[in-house]
Amino acid sequence: MEQVEFADVLVWWAALPRSEWPEEAEVRAELEREVREGPHGDRRQEVVFIIQQADHEAIAAQLEACLLSSNEQAGGSDASSEPPR
């Protein structure tokens, strides 16, 4: 198994001190915008589907059904009423 070096690991910009950010002004400005968005900065994951002739509403509904409710989020890992699928 190949050993992973720190430089090979992706990190959230919001988790790094500003002193470790790139020095280019345009890049830093874009990172600042990314980090300011949302309550968790740039700490997010995105899923992209490339599908022809898909039922977008059905896919969106199935994905939404996977999300935790507000009560489940507030209650932590023990609050979910159903086991993960």
Side-chain angles (χ1 to χ4, degrees):
M1 178 184 288
E2 180 180 334
Q3 183 176 2
V4 176
E5 298 292 327
F6 178 75
D8 295 333
V9 178
L10 299 175
V11 296
W12 306 119
W13 289 109
L16 287 177
R18 301 293 197 268
S19 62
E20 294 185 33
W21 284 18
E23 294 181 15
E24 297 82 9
E26 288 181 24
V27 174
R28 289 183 74 94
E30 178 63 28
L31 292 177
E32 287 289 349
R33 280 190 294 278
E34 283 283 322
V35 169
R36 277 195 307 262
E37 288 182 13
H40 305 291
D42 67 333
R43 296 176 182 102
R44 66 180 179 270
Q45 295 182 7
E46 298 174 354
V47 178
V48 176
F49 296 94
I50 301 173
I51 304 172
Q52 294 180 353
Q53 301 175 351
D55 183 346
H56 299 280
E57 289 79 21
I59 293 171
Q62 289 177 347
L63 291 171
E64 289 287 332
C66 295
L67 297 176
L68 295 177
S69 69
S70 297
N71 289 338
E72 290 169 332
Q73 288 181 8
S77 62
D78 293 332
S80 178
S81 60
E82 294 183 33
R85 295 180 233 170

